[in-house]
Amino acid sequence: MSASRTTVVRGLATAVGIVSLVSITGLATAAPGDPGKPRFTAGSAGVGDTYFPYAGNGGYDVSHYDLAVDYTPPAPAPAPLEGQFSGVATIDLTATADLDRFNLDLRGMSVSAMTINGKPATGIAPPAPGAEVDGAAYWHVQDDAARRWELTVQPRPKLKKGQRARLVVTYGGTTTRPTDIETAPYGWYTTRDGAIVVSEPDGSMTWYPVSDHPRDKATYSFRITVPEGKVAVANGLPDGPPVTANGRTTWSWDAVDEQASYLTTASVGDFEVRPVTHSASGVPIHDFVDSKLSPSRRTTTNASLALQPRMIDFFESRFGPYPFSSYGSSVDDDSVGYALETQTRPVYSGQAVQGTVAHELAHQWLGNAVSPKDWKDIWLNEGWATYATWLWNEENGIRTAQAAFDSWYAPARTPEYWALPIGDPGPMGLFATQVYNRGAGTLHALRLTVGDEAFFEGVQTWVQRYDDSTATTADFQAVYEEVSGQDLDAFFQEWLATAAKPSLP
Ligand code: TRP
Ligand code: ZN
């Protein structure tokens, strides 16, 4: 036992008394029948996600991230497509275990300073496994091949379970174009005129230190400083007007509703700031549209965004009250190849088309208010968002949900298509087409099985019960068994887990 650990044991014994001294001593020597676990742990390098073992972290719960970012987009071509990024992340957390160490996720950036409860920690090279480190310290392991990015923090004094801590991390780097496990672009995606920031499932770690998993939701505040003339758009509501000094403008945002890390955005571009509109229920809608869209894309985008107030009204009638304090879209002329339902403010690539606008809006209830507890549960997001567009199209006389179901179900498809179990599609199958359309088909089949009344009561119960939280497919099945009084084991087994075309209910 090192001198520093002896000191800690003695310090604790003084604080908590003789009984604990006996038990701590016992732990250190592993009495018979005692697992010999030290009282203080190193947290864990992941929350236990089935597909992303190093996403998120264990041992603490973040309540708030305050992100102060300074960003300069690339110079005009032929300059390299790289941005200059520096940040200060202030992270408020509560230990959920007695912590000797704990981890954050941070990828492609480097940390230059850290304080823990106002006291500086020393940046060191990663110590050998099991080695003791003196004093408050941090170190960073970045293993691209293993997709393992871990910033380890050693707080001193150690953190006791229930204790709060404020971590201030000064960091930065050169931004490029990170890719997800399937090689799709995500994270802080550098564009010539700014950045598109979309991070599903684990890309937020490309631009701030984070416990990067939906199981640790938190509120956020942002101050994003960019060259004068650029607009920075994050989640939530503006926290005062933009402030310009010395040729740089700071855009401040306040995201008051807890959000999963993959739903954080802070896109930078040449956005027009559109006038605020409202849903019938009073949700303020702030849109930001790239001033460089072509006339035809602008026309499509304007028509689609103009439907947002009515779409909110409609989805409120089906899913219950809009779950957050604000809404609005950002539309970039550049593209990552997809849209993302970033919380309160979806991001669109190139243009916003009606079906996608309905899809990303529906995610605010289904995916954002209630998020997947494990990435394996992704069908709960994509099935619902796809089904929501079927409902929207029916409401607007475009096509009934039954017709949409039929046009998915009737055509002959390959055995490979039916072979993907959407209840466990694998990390490379998260955004497979089957997750979307078999997911929506599953919901329509569920509706036919339990009836309209139980179906819509079920979705409202689901959103209310797991609002600001995460849930699993088993939780979802339990809600529908409750509202319908039916045993749905065989139903969900066939629709989510069977590698064959499901039969009609
Ligand atoms: N979640 C997005 C949506 O359906 C889609 C998405 C996220 C995606 N990452 C992706 C699609 C990567 C294709 C590739 O709204
Ligand atoms: Zn989606």
Side-chain angles (χ1 to χ4, degrees):
M1 181 186 285
S2 75
S4 66
R5 182 173 298 170
T6 309
T7 306
V8 169
V9 169
R10 200 183 303 125
L12 276 172
T14 320
V16 299
I18 285 299
V19 175
S20 293
L21 173 63
V22 170
S23 70
I24 290 164
T25 309
L27 287 171
T29 54
D34 185 308
K37 251 175 105 187
R39 179 179 159 178
F40 283 86
T41 76
S44 70
V47 294
D49 190 86
T50 310
Y51 298 162
F52 301 93
Y54 302 114
N57 300 280
Y60 64 93
D61 178 22
V62 176
S63 54
H64 187 78
Y65 294 91
D66 177 81
L67 304 177
V69 165
D70 189 285
Y71 179 63
T72 303
L81 204 48
E82 290 173 348
Q84 297 307 319
F85 184 111
S86 63
V88 178
T90 302
I91 303 171
D92 291 322
L93 59 85
T94 304
T96 56
D98 291 333
L99 290 175
D100 175 53
R101 297 173 179 174
F102 62 92
N103 281 17
L104 289 158
D105 305 312
L106 182 64
R107 171 180 172 190
M109 299 228 162
S110 49
V111 176
S112 58
M114 185 186 292
T115 65
I116 308 162
N117 291 329
K119 289 193 247 168
T122 308
I124 62 168
E132 296 277 334
V133 172
D134 282 338
Y138 66 87
W139 56 92
H140 197 180
V141 173
Q142 304 211 47
D143 184 341
D144 289 16
R147 298 189 70 81
R148 178 168 169 269
W149 297 281
E150 298 292 336
L151 174 64
T152 300
V153 180
Q154 176 173 288
R156 289 294 179 272
K158 299 181 186 190
L159 291 180
K160 288 200 204 163
K161 181 176 177 176
Q163 197 179 327
R164 294 208 251 209
R166 171 168 286 184
L167 211 67
V168 179
V169 184
T170 305
Y171 66 102
T174 300
T175 66
T176 56
R177 293 185 162 182
T179 49
D180 70 11
I181 193 168
E182 293 182 82
T183 74
Y186 79 155
W188 189 281
Y189 176 85
T190 308
T191 58
R192 188 58 71 181
D193 64 1
I196 297 177
V197 183
V198 287
S199 296
E200 191 179 19
D202 60 349
S204 275
M205 65 172 87
T206 67
W207 69 280
Y208 63 97
V210 55
S211 184
D212 206 353
H213 193 277
R215 273 183 237 180
D216 193 355
K217 294 188 178 187
T219 56
Y220 285 73
S221 44
F222 307 85
R223 271 156 294 132
I224 307 153
T225 302
V226 291
E228 185 174 359
K230 296 291 175 188
V231 178
V233 187
N235 311 89
L237 285 160
D239 183 15
V243 176
T244 299
N246 306 318
R248 299 187 71 81
T249 302
T250 301
W251 296 82
S252 298
W253 294 90
D254 207 7
V256 298
D257 303 298
E258 283 190 66
Q259 65 190 37
S261 54
Y262 74 96
L263 300 170
T264 307
T265 190
S267 293
V268 176
D270 302 318
F271 299 115
E272 298 169 8
V273 179
R274 297 273 175 98
V276 179
T277 58
H278 292 85
S279 71
S281 57
V283 178
I285 304 170
H286 296 242
D287 293 327
F288 298 82
V289 177
D290 200 306
S291 59
K292 301 187 297 309
L293 295 199
S294 69
S296 78
R297 288 179 162 225
R298 169 176 305 271
T299 301
T300 301
T301 296
N302 290 351
S304 308
L305 297 186
L307 295 168
Q308 291 178 128
R310 271 191 46 226
M311 285 180 180
I312 292 178
D313 303 343
F314 173 65
F315 288 139
E316 285 189 322
S317 77
R318 294 298 185 272
F319 305 148
Y322 179 74
F324 306 125
S325 316
S326 65
Y327 193 60
S329 294
S330 89
V331 185
D332 203 295
D333 69 327
D334 216 321
S335 172
V336 291
Y338 58 88
L340 192 68
E341 64 269 23
T342 38
Q343 189 153 305
T344 71
R345 182 158 291 100
V347 168
Y348 299 89
S349 286
Q351 63 180 337
V353 304
Q354 182 179 166
T356 311
V357 170
H359 180 111
E360 309 309 340
L361 173 59
H363 270 310
Q364 305 304 313
W365 288 260
L366 287 318
N368 298 8
V370 185
S371 307
K373 183 165 187 188
D374 196 289
W375 283 110
K376 157 164 101 53
D377 301 311
I378 185 70
W379 84 276
L380 288 167
N381 282 17
E382 302 312 340
W384 264 116
T386 303
Y387 194 62
T389 66
W390 294 7
L391 296 172
W392 170 255
N393 287 342
E394 175 166 86
E395 174 74 4
N396 289 278
I398 298 168
R399 179 170 76 161
T400 64
Q402 184 62 46
F405 177 87
D406 293 341
S407 74
W408 164 72
Y409 189 82
R413 295 179 192 276
T414 62
E416 294 74 54
Y417 177 92
W418 295 114
L420 187 80
I422 63 169
D424 188 1
M428 310 299 269
L430 278 187
F431 307 114
T433 180
Q434 296 95 319
V435 171
Y436 289 73
N437 47 39
R438 183 168 171 169
T442 300
L443 293 167
H444 191 74
L446 177 64
R447 181 178 174 182
L448 298 177
T449 301
V450 302
D452 276 16
E453 204 179 314
F455 182 75
F456 287 106
E457 186 192 334
V459 69
Q460 297 201 13
T461 302
W462 170 248
V463 173
Q464 256 171 46
R465 186 171 298 173
Y466 296 104
D467 186 25
D468 288 338
S469 185
T470 61
T472 64
T473 297
D475 296 328
F476 186 74
Q477 180 177 332
V479 165
Y480 273 92
E481 292 190 339
E482 201 177 298
V483 296
S484 71
Q486 297 180 33
D487 180 338
L488 296 169
D489 265 347
F491 175 86
F492 282 109
Q493 180 65 32
E494 174 158 31
W495 281 82
L496 301 179
T498 306
K501 183 172 183 173
S503 51
L504 289 176

